[in-house]
Amino acid sequence: MNLLEKKAATSRRTPKPRRRFALPAPSTSVLFLIIALVLLYGVIYPNAHVLLAALQHDGSWSPANFFAVLSQRTIVESALTSITLSVLTVLLCALAGVPLAFLFERYAFPGRRLFAALAALPLVLPPLVGTVAFIFLCGESGILARSLQHVFHLSKAPWSLRGWGALLLFHTYTMYPFFYVLTGAGLQRVDAGLAEAARSLGASRARVLLRVTLPQLTPSLIAAALLTFMTSMASFSAPLLFGGNVRVLTLEIFNARQRGDTSIALTETVLLALISLAALIFFQRYEGTRRFVAAAMKGTTRRRQTIGSGLGRLLAACAAIAFSLLLALPIATLVLVSFSRDGSWTTQTLPPVYTVSNFAHLATDVDARSVFGNSLLMAGIATLAALVWSFCVTALTATGRRTRWKRLINVLVLLPWALPGTVVAVSIAEAYGQPNALTGSFILVGTFWILPVVYFLRFMPLVVRAVQASIEQLDRALEEAAGVLGANWWRRFWRVRLPLVAPGALAGALLVFVIAMGEYVASVIVFTPGNRPVSIAIASAMRDFNLGTAAAYGVILIAMIAIVMIVAGRLESRAR
Amino acid sequence: MPLLSLNNISKRFGATAAVADVSVAVERGEFFGLLGPSGCGKTTTLRIIAGLEAPDGGTVEFEGRDITTLQPERRGFGMVFQNYALFPHLNVFENVAFGLRARGGRGISPTVREGSLQERVEQALDLVQLPGFGTRRVDELSGGQQQRVAIARAIAIEPSLLLFDEPLSNLDVALREDTRRELRALVKRLDLTAVYVTHDQVEAFALCDRIAVMSEGRVHQVGAPRELYENPANVFVAKFLGRNNLIRALRLTSSNDPSTRFKTLEGGHTLIVSARHDQLMRLAVNKPCLLAIRPEAITVSKDQDGSEAGNRLAARIEHLEFSGATTTITLDANGLKLEALVLQAEGFRIGHECVVTLPVDRMELLSES
């Protein structure tokens, strides 16, 4: 059916469709109003404000001004740098992640399950904590460089962790799991019967891989490339701490704001947002043309090839162990440094003095405790709000007829996810930094509430997606059965939808909670000195060379994440 | 007055008409079937009855009341879903009690509510022969047991109408036949009215008092199983219900008496058919039409001395297909292909000449659509 026919079919529908299984009308109106207001204040207005402010230069309206600022060499250069860095990151991550996924999915060897889980580890590392751990391990005064220096009696460090190489290494380390996890999931879905059919038709192994397996993996690969590209575009901590003279957009926006150069900051923000959105649209368009629906219903069960020979098994196991050690090394370093006394580690290979005083300090010091208290409170508020919000949004969008309004709401809800954290923070800071028509004399910037608001906006799409996914998995017939049995909308919601969706929703919310606990990119733009989150405390500890304290903060964050991941895993498996 | 009547119901999904101008009346105490191939609109019709879909046009009346726009939870019907739709987070007891709790005070006085709830759930579980299963988790049950729980849940609320959406299609063949028998007995014992959707003709015949045969969103014929089988209203019904020989023919004689002569297009045989007067009125002489005769109505004999009256044709045996109790014989009567179903096929060989008899009263004149 072509577009015109579709249009015709839509217009032929009866003029007033009666809604079934939607919210009762008065509640719908109230809910719609609330959602519209939140989206207006949180998404539409701040972004529109930044866009208009970028177009408006020295009080006059003209796109020419925008292009005048845009054509400054530094801005164009940093945009190109960001894009180049992201494209290279995508390529390197694919090279690391895809073969690894094949290794773990296709072959059985001792310890496979454990190492397969370990390989996804960098995914849950907060970017700032990962950056700090990387500096301790690979920096020019880090453990690796110092060891080589001592072994070979070098007069100075064998390398410096600066610039393109350092950024690409770090990006590959933290982002290859996108390719690894999604390719693995894709491989699990690929029907082994298709490969068997191809083999029976006379295709060689290589031909099966190229013509049958990889085409089916394309959607997974595109999704992974998209996630990697977007994460790399939004990357801030690594360029800040060891980017050297690689000037990416996120960093340039931060610097321009520090200098007070608002017009440049705004223009760069708009540019970053546009590049991210363009990438999103490009990848999704491409994905749309490459989606295959398996025609066969009854698939062949996939069997892992066991590596038979003793030597092969040994090699595979060794490679897997070496690899997972490599992955665990930054975290191990972080743990080690967290027990070192601040200021004691100078030129030695390893920190010389060990103590638990860093953790004791974090537990007893009023300032450190308030930092954790701040982060817990703000992440908690944002998570709770996101949870309630996602049930509001899905109550409106996941029942009854699909309408243009609902699609628009969905797009607006997911928009902050597509925007880098820097863009979200700058847009809120700029929109609510001075009195305006929408907020009257209320100024958000400088208050406690700015961080919870930014966390909420940044991460609520994740919770909404989690709840939406749970609802989509829900058998429609369950709510219909409840309806036929006499349950009205509210009863269906409380007795059927909520209990069944709760595990998935909670898992999503917990994930958002720990991500918000370690949030740095947006926090660094809008935090207030009286209300510092953990990430800001880590950054300032690093600046003061209190390495042990910085590491201890990081270790606690990682421990929290580990606990939450285990709980979320349990919840999700129970949801099935 | 019928208990339930659908008046000119229609429903479109995008550009396709799922249900087109369907009118059906279900009497009180009747086991009513909606039968048709997949995608014929039978499930959509059932969902419209349940209130899960709103029709684009037409009305649904129950006990003479227009319930077209009434929300499903206010209709008081019971429904058994194809995949049972048992609540996975509730145990068997809570699943069966769900409808009773949802109705709250409606029908049950609050003071005796808990006690009577317990009683009614146990009663329902007894009826489906699952006594004492209340504390079981739903996912611990076998498919057949889940199906019984789904039925218990639907009848616990003492529904004024019971709706079934292919509830037996997920069971294996042996279990399906047993459950079929029990289901009909249960519905009849409780004196319930049921509407049952299925694509399985055998199932519909075994269960239902009357059946509406549907395809492409339209109802072709409504009637008792035997009536549908022996007097199919049109080509679709004749083909869909069991095997049938369809013979293209021209009308020869003009008199509208019951024994009219037809000439077959293949083979050029002259056949006498006892057609109904109203059908003949619509068919002019020398106009093409379709005749139908069931394979089991055809008799095959080795020589001319058959004593049965009817249309006798000489034919050659083309193929024999043995299937246990019966044998299907494929015949060629001078270009006219026929299938006959016989109990005894001894003595017949492929290539042998024989005589087939098509009894006058077992031949049907079909209308084209």
Side-chain angles (χ1 to χ4, degrees), chain A residues 105-337:
Chain A
E105 271 307 316
R106 286 292 166 85
Y107 298 101
F109 48 84
R112 191 196 67 86
R113 281 168 56 99
L114 178 69
F115 297 125
L118 271 179
L121 199 65
L123 208 55
V124 296
L125 215 55
L128 179 68
V129 176
T131 314
V132 168
F134 225 63
I135 290 174
F136 292 150
L137 182 66
C138 310
E140 53 260 48
S141 50
I143 293 173
L144 284 182
R146 286 274 165 78
S147 320
L148 289 177
Q149 205 179 340
H150 277 248
V151 170
F152 297 105
H153 302 290
L154 303 172
S155 58
K156 60 185 186 66
W159 65 71
S160 73
L161 191 72
R162 278 268 172 276
W164 283 95
L167 279 179
L168 283 174
L169 184 68
F170 180 74
H171 274 190
T172 308
Y173 170 74
T174 50
M175 296 172 206
Y176 90 89
F178 289 130
F179 274 95
Y180 166 72
V181 169
L182 288 173
T183 309
L187 276 174
Q188 281 177 7
R189 275 198 307 271
V190 169
D191 185 355
L194 294 177
E196 284 171 6
R199 291 300 294 274
S200 78
L201 290 166
S204 66
R205 268 171 186 282
R207 197 178 174 80
V208 169
L209 180 69
L210 280 177
R211 299 295 305 273
V212 179
T213 310
L214 278 182
Q216 289 198 80
L217 283 179
T218 316
S220 308
L221 295 178
I222 293 168
L226 171 66
L227 279 172
T228 311
F229 187 88
M230 304 284 271
T231 313
S232 173
M233 280 301 290
S235 173
F236 173 75
S237 317
L240 177 73
L241 291 181
F242 50 73
N245 52 9
V246 180
R247 298 149 74 92
V248 296
L249 266 178
T250 48
L251 197 59
E252 288 297 296
I253 293 170
F254 176 71
N255 287 336
R257 276 184 62 86
Q258 297 288 88
R259 289 197 307 269
D261 202 339
T262 317
S263 78
I264 287 195
L266 285 176
T267 308
E268 285 172 333
T269 304
V270 170
L271 196 58
L272 182 58
L274 287 180
I275 294 171
S276 299
L277 289 179
L280 180 73
I281 292 165
F282 169 77
F283 278 110
Q284 288 203 327
R285 277 280 157 81
Y286 188 67
E287 192 186 3
T289 65
R290 286 287 179 277
R291 204 173 264 289
F292 302 102
V293 179
M297 282 292 101
K298 196 173 175 184
T300 318
T301 39
R302 212 166 25 89
R303 246 182 241 108
R304 273 195 190 87
Q305 234 165 308
T306 317
I307 299 180
S309 76
L311 188 68
R313 281 169 76 87
L314 194 69
L315 276 177
C318 283
I321 290 168
F323 179 74
S324 54
L325 276 181
L326 205 65
L327 287 176
L329 221 47
I331 293 170
T333 311
L334 197 71
V335 175
L336 188 77
V337 176

Side-chain angles (χ1 to χ4, degrees), chain A residues 1-56:
Chain A
M1 197 173 7
N2 65 33
L3 204 71
L4 274 175
E5 278 173 308
K6 266 187 198 160
K7 224 172 198 172
T10 330
S11 63
R12 245 181 280 131
R13 240 180 245 158
T14 43
K16 203 181 120 202
R18 273 166 285 188
R19 291 155 62 91
R20 270 298 133 91
F21 263 76
L23 259 177
S27 318
T28 309
S29 315
V30 173
L31 208 55
F32 185 80
L33 202 69
I34 294 170
I35 291 170
L37 278 177
V38 172
L39 288 176
L40 176 67
Y41 278 90
V43 181
I44 300 171
Y45 174 69
N47 286 302
H49 177 90
V50 167
L51 186 64
L52 293 180
L55 291 174
Q56 198 178 22

Side-chain angles (χ1 to χ4, degrees), chain B residues 37 45 47 52 83 93 103 138 164 169 188 239 242 254 308 318 338 362 366:
Chain B
T45 307
R47 289 169 61 82
L52 297 173
N83 59 358
F93 182 92
R103 267 141 222 266
V138 169
F164 294 97
S169 59
K188 288 292 167 192
K239 274 185 172 170
S254 59
E308 285 168 76
E318 287 216 310
L338 292 171
R362 301 292 296 270
L366 298 178

Side-chain angles (χ1 to χ4, degrees), chain B residues 306-323:
Chain B
S307 55
E308 285 168 76
N311 304 294
R312 292 157 153 271
L313 314 172
R316 202 168 56 84
I317 297 175
E318 287 216 310
H319 189 67
L320 292 165
E321 188 187 300
F322 174 72
S323 47

